[in-house]
Each structure stands twice: as structure tokens, then as C-alpha cells.
């Protein structure tokens, strides 16, 4: 992928942008029939969620990712310059091949040293590698956005991506790109206040009879007692309907206020369906020469008073049941990374990860990263972990499909981003 660093004022006029894109089209050949142009710019302070609110279209792919606590990161990826959906086969390998194919024909220009500059690929994978025909999300979706707006600390970056081939109307494309760059560079809107939907307007309906789920739990416990399983995580679904339409931006805004320590996310399939939530679970984080993953299992509520909270924390840290479940996850992650050639390191005892409404046993696991193994290869090895599946993994996956009556879709599944250097962050789309 050719990279051409330039100053923040990459193109002073639309005509300069048009000339640049015309040169890119002129360089196309039979061997290179299309090229992706990725332009990165540093922009004034902007709220990515407000940009998503302004440019959101239900019939376009989108990805939103934010964590308010710590370094304060937020990314809005809107529409797609190019994308891939996978219905069958090795979905992780196909997505990895898609990234490589795109990068081989990408020219990246602008202020490419900025946080979140250059091409980034946004992906979502369903829990299982095949889905029911009624599922709104395919087993894998990955896309390079047309627009990407990010906040990292106090730095703000705009990335626009466009694919050009022999038939591209470059004049029209340059006009649209110029307009978008100008709009977002001068964007000063905040998230519009939308009153939350009243609880009285909600109607909750179980998607299966409670006794069916109870029977599944009883069968699972019997399998554990017979030593066929060591752990299994079963889920049930509730259908929540409102008399007034749900508002995506209002829901995300509420989640980021309530759960600042979690990843708040939204994934749109471009067909009017969105999957949103707030999760504390980092499955894989890769930055330069470092890999991080979290063993997160074993939970307790937060107390209503400091003394009650401390007592619940103490009880969790000494709970044989919760510690056993936690070590299933930790040991699985360590062993899986070792099998990939990593040398993972972690504390022998878990610590607490305390969120607004719940606290977990948590063991961060770190390893050096040579960059020789792609993040999607690591993901294929790790997903699903015992945290949301169980032990032994292959048997548990079959039993989950047998016992659960609703397809998990993106629930408890990997979502995240990957950049052109192989860095990335993959979380698990569970909810807190």
C-alpha cells in the first residue's frame, strides 16, 4: 500500500482534488483495474456520534465504537467504499484475504501519522459460523467505510475512502468528496437531545416459554453432573416493543452515559436493522508489538453501600465456583495463544473489574507481538471462549444450538476494527 504523507491542507481546492483523482484513474491498468484512495485529515474538535446522527442512513452499513473512560476513544464509520459479506466457508480467512486485496490496491495520502488515520476495516461476526435463514446479519461482514470520523484523546481525524475504476465519474466523485470534507471539517453540532422512551411504553415478551428454558438448564446441569461438560453458558431472549420507534442515537447516547467503562457499539446491516450494546469485554487488542486479551468471567452485583460493595467483592474473589469458571477462561486463552506461538503472561490471581452495575473477576493477559500472525487468525483460534460458550468447546457449541431456541446472531460474538498495519481491537458484543 503506497503511503504519501502530506500536510493537513492536502487539497486547497476541489480542482486539486479532481486532478489527483484523475491521475489515480490514469494509472489504472488491466492488472490494476481499480484503486482505493484513502485520504486522512486532522480536523477540529467534533463529536463522532453527532456526525453519525447527521449522516446516518438505514440502508447503509455503519459501525460505531466508543469508550469514554481512560483515553476516550470514539469512532464512527459510515457507508462503505467496499465491503464483503460471507455466508459460508472459512469466514475469518475470507475477511483476511479481503483486507489484503484492498490494501494491495490502496494509496493512502494525507496526515497518515494521526491516530486512526489511513484505511480501517470494520467487522462483525455472528456467534456461530452459520446462521438461521431469518437472521438479519450474515456470518461475517467487513467493510472499508466511505467516511470515518474518530476521536482519540484530544486528536480528531477524518478519513474518506473511495474506490476508482475505469468507469468512475471522477468529476462527480471529487465533488462529493470535497463537499463531505468541507462539511465535516466545519462540523460543530452536538448530539441532538432526544427524550428517552418511557418505560411505560415498553412491552416485554419472552421469545420462548420460561419452562422450556428451565428444562434446558436442567438438562445442561445433568450433563455437568455426569462430567460430559464442565461449563455451559445458555442464553434466553426477550422481545421488547415500544409504542414509539426506538432511536438509535438516543440509545447510544444513553448507553455511553450509563456505562462509561464499557465499549458502546452499534452495527448496522444496511437493511434497517441495528445491533447495539455496551460491553466490557476485550477479546483481542493489538498495538504495534503488543497483544492484550482479557479473561473476564465470574460476576457479582455492585452493593448499594460501600460496605456492602466491599463484602460482595470479597465474596466474589473467594468464590470457588466463580474462580473455577474464571480459570476455565484464563487457561483457555493462555493455552490458545501458546499454540499460536505467543508467550502470554498474566497474574496467577484475578483482580476486580468494577462497572456501574456489576463487578467481574478479571485477568488481563499480555504477550509480545511480532506481527507475523494476523489478528483474524488469532480471532479464529479464540472464538468462542469459555466465557460465553463453555468447556469443552466443541461439545458445548453443539449443545447451545440444541438447547437455545433463538439464534444468537451477533450476541456474544466478535466485533471490532483492524487497520492497515495489522493493529486492531476486537470486543465481544455482549451487554451489561
Amino acid at each position: 500500500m503506497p503511503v504519501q504523507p502530506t500536510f493537513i491542507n492536502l487539497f486547497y481546492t476541489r480542482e486539486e482534488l479532481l486532478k489527483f483523482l484523475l491521475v489515480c484513474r490514469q494509472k489504472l491498468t488491466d492488472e490494476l483495474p481499480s484503486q482505493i484512495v484513502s485520504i486522512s485529515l486532522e480536523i477540529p474538535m467534533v463529536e463522532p456520534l453527532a456526525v453519525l446522527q447527521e449522516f446516518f442512513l438505514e440502508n447503509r452499513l455503519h459501525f460505531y465504537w466508543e469508550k469514554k473512560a481512560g483515553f476516550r476513544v470514539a469512532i464512527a464509520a459510515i457507508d462503505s467504499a467496499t465491503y464483503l459479506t460471507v455466508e459460508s466457508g472459512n469466514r475469518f480467512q475470507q475477511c483476511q484475504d479481503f483486507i489484503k486485496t484492498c490494501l494491495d490496491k490502496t494509496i493512502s495520502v494525507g496526515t497518515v501519522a494521526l491516530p486512526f488515520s489511513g484505511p480501517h476495516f470494520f467487522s462483525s461476526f455472528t456467534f456461530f459460523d452459520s446462521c438461521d435463514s431469518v437472521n438479519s446479519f450474515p456470518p461475517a461482514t467487513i467493510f472499508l467505510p466511505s467516511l470515518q470520523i474518530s476521536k482519540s484523546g484530544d486528536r480528531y481525524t477524518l478519513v474518506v475512502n473511495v474506490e476508482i475504476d475505469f468507469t468512475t465519474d471522477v468529476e462527480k466523485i471529487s465533488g462529493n468528496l470535497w463537499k463531505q470534507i468541507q462539511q465535516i471539517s466545519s462540523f460543530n453540532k452536538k448530539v441532538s437531545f432526544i427524550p428517552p422512551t418511557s418505560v411505560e411504553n415498553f412491552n416485554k415478551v419472552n421469545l420462548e416459554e420460561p419452562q422450556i428454558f428451565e428444562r434446558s438448564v436442567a438438562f445442561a446441569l445433568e450433563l455437568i453432573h455426569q462430567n460430559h461438560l464442565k461449563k455451559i453458558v445458555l442464553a434466553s431472549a426477550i422481545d421488547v416493543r415500544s409504542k414509539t420507534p426506538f432511536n438509535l442515537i438516543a440509545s447510544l447516547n444513553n448507553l455511553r452515559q450509563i456505562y462509561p467503562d464499557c465499549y458502546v457499539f452499534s452495527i448496522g446491516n444496511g437493511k434497517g436493522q441495528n445491533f447495539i450494546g455496551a460491553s466490557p469485554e476485550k477479546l483481542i487488542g493489538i498495538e504495534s508489538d503488543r497483544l492484550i486479551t482479557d479473561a473476564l468471567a465470574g460476576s457479582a452485583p455492585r452493593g448499594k453501600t460501600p460496605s456492602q460493595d466491599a463484602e460482595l467483592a470479597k465474596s466474589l474473589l473467594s468464590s470457588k465456583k466463580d474462580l473455577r469458571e474464571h480459570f476455565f477462561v484464563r487457561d483457555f486463552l493462555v493455552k490458545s495463544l501458546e499454540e499460536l506461538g505467543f508467550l502470554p503472561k498474566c497474574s496467577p490471581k484475578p483482580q476486580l473489574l468494577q462497572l456501574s452495575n456489576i463487578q467481574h473477576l478479571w485477568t488481563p493477559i499480555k504477550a509480545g507481538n511480532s506481527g507475523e500472525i494476523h489478528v483474524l487468525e488469532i480471532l479464529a483460534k479464540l472464538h468462542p471462549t469459555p466465557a460465553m460458550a463453555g468447556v469443552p468447546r466443541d461439545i458445548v457449541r453443539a449443545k447451545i444450538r440444541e438447547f437455545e431456541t433463538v439464534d444468537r446472531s451477533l450476541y456474544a460474538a466478535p466485533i471490532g476494527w483492524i487497520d492497515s498495519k495489522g493493529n486492531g481491537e476486537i470486543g465481544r458484543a455482549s451487554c451489561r
Side-chain angles (χ1 to χ4, degrees):
M1 179 187 70
V3 176
Q4 297 180 7
T6 55
F7 295 108
I8 183 168
N9 294 318
L10 177 63
F11 304 109
Y12 288 96
T13 66
R14 174 187 165 182
E15 287 68 30
E16 289 180 344
L17 175 60
L18 173 59
K19 289 179 181 178
F20 174 73
L21 295 180
L22 284 170
V23 170
C24 291
R25 191 177 66 178
Q26 290 168 1
K27 291 182 177 180
L28 297 178
T29 63
D30 291 339
E31 291 74 30
L32 183 68
S34 66
Q35 185 170 59
I36 295 170
V37 178
S38 181
I39 304 170
S40 300
L41 300 169
E42 184 163 22
I43 57 175
M45 183 174 67
V46 65
E47 190 174 1
L49 186 59
V51 179
L52 179 63
Q53 183 176 38
E54 182 77 8
F55 290 90
F56 171 75
L57 293 171
E58 286 193 346
N59 63 344
R60 296 289 188 269
L61 295 172
H62 84 265
F63 191 106
Y64 186 78
W65 179 272
E66 177 174 357
K67 188 173 183 181
K68 290 187 68 176
F71 199 57
R72 307 188 316 280
V73 169
I75 313 170
I78 304 169
D79 205 353
S80 60
T82 183
Y83 74 95
L84 171 73
T85 58
V86 180
E87 299 290 347
S88 61
N90 187 331
R91 53 184 178 162
F92 298 110
Q93 184 61 54
Q94 289 184 59
C95 289
Q96 184 179 339
D97 293 341
F98 172 77
I99 292 174
K100 183 180 185 304
T101 299
C102 288
L103 292 178
D104 285 345
K105 61 178 182 179
T106 295
I107 178 170
S108 187
V109 298
T111 45
V112 293
L114 288 169
F116 294 105
S117 62
H120 283 63
F121 297 85
F122 296 85
S123 61
S124 62
F125 302 89
T126 55
F127 186 85
F128 294 106
D129 55 13
S130 61
C131 303
D132 293 343
S133 58
V134 296
N135 197 339
S136 300
F137 292 85
T141 300
I142 186 164
F143 72 101
L144 177 70
S146 297
L147 289 176
Q148 177 190 313
I149 303 90
S150 64
K151 168 187 177 181
S152 180
D154 58 357
R155 306 293 295 275
Y156 298 82
T157 306
L158 166 65
V159 181
V160 293
N161 301 296
V162 61
E163 186 168 17
I164 296 173
D165 60 26
F166 291 112
T167 64
T168 299
D169 186 340
V170 175
E171 185 166 347
K172 181 179 178 181
I173 290 292
S174 65
N176 292 337
L177 285 179
W178 183 256
K179 181 179 178 181
Q180 289 174 340
I181 291 171
Q182 298 307 306
Q183 278 183 300
I184 297 175
S185 296
S186 60
F187 195 84
N188 58 7
K189 296 181 181 179
K190 300 294 184 181
V191 173
S192 301
F193 175 73
I194 303 166
T197 304
S198 173
V199 176
E200 288 74 20
N201 289 331
F202 291 155
N203 180 32
K204 299 180 182 180
V205 179
N206 289 320
L207 293 183
E208 65 180 358
E209 295 296 327
Q211 57 268 29
I212 295 177
F213 182 69
E214 292 171 3
R215 188 160 58 245
S216 295
V217 172
F219 286 149
L221 288 172
E222 184 61 28
L223 289 172
I224 292 174
H225 292 153
Q226 293 174 1
N227 292 322
H228 294 301
L229 305 177
K230 294 182 179 179
K231 175 186 177 180
I232 185 170
V233 180
L234 296 179
S236 61
I238 296 175
D239 190 16
V240 179
R241 296 183 179 271
S242 172
K243 296 176 183 177
T244 57
F246 286 99
N247 185 282
L248 173 68
I249 304 300
S251 298
L252 290 172
N253 196 35
N254 289 337
L255 285 173
R256 67 179 182 169
Q257 304 302 328
I258 298 170
Y259 304 110
D261 293 307
C262 291
Y263 298 103
V264 172
F265 61 85
S266 175
I267 302 140
N269 65 358
K271 299 177 181 178
Q273 287 87 31
N274 306 303
F275 190 91
I276 73 172
S279 172
E281 301 180 67
K282 178 189 292 185
L283 188 53
I284 306 170
I286 292 181
E287 183 177 357
S288 186
D289 58 353
R290 183 179 63 170
L291 180 149
I292 299 175
T293 183
D294 288 343
L296 201 66
S299 307
R302 298 299 303 269
K304 294 182 179 180
T305 65
S307 60
Q308 185 185 52
D309 197 46
E311 187 60 35
L312 287 167
K314 181 181 177 181
S315 178
L316 178 60
L317 286 168
S318 60
S319 167
K320 291 182 179 180
K321 170 188 175 296
D322 289 291
L323 286 169
R324 182 171 63 252
E325 293 187 4
H326 182 81
F327 292 143
F328 282 150
V329 178
R330 185 201 66 184
D331 294 347
F332 168 83
L333 291 172
V334 169
K335 182 180 178 183
S336 297
L337 290 174
E338 287 176 341
E339 290 174 351
L340 288 170
F342 292 98
L343 299 174
K345 296 179 180 180
C346 63
S347 170
K349 293 183 179 180
Q351 54 189 287
L352 287 176
L353 179 64
Q354 295 183 310
L355 307 174
S356 59
N357 64 331
I358 196 170
Q359 48 193 330
H360 301 283
L361 294 177
W362 173 44
T363 300
I365 301 168
K366 300 179 181 180
N369 176 47
S370 65
E372 296 178 359
I373 303 177
H374 196 274
V375 61
L376 291 178
E377 292 181 61
I378 304 170
L379 179 57
K381 183 73 171 179
L382 298 187
H383 175 72
T385 75
M388 296 304 293
V391 180
R393 186 166 67 166
D394 290 342
I395 296 175
V396 160
R397 281 189 288 195
K399 290 301 178 183
I400 288 174
R401 295 204 111 164
E402 177 185 337
F403 290 148
E404 293 182 359
T405 59
V406 179
D407 192 287
R408 288 193 175 191
S409 186
L410 296 185
Y411 172 68
I415 60 170
W417 59 267
I418 302 163
D419 72 9
S420 59
K421 302 179 184 68
N423 299 316
E425 193 150 15
I426 308 294
R428 192 184 352 258
S430 55
C431 303
R432 288 294 179 265

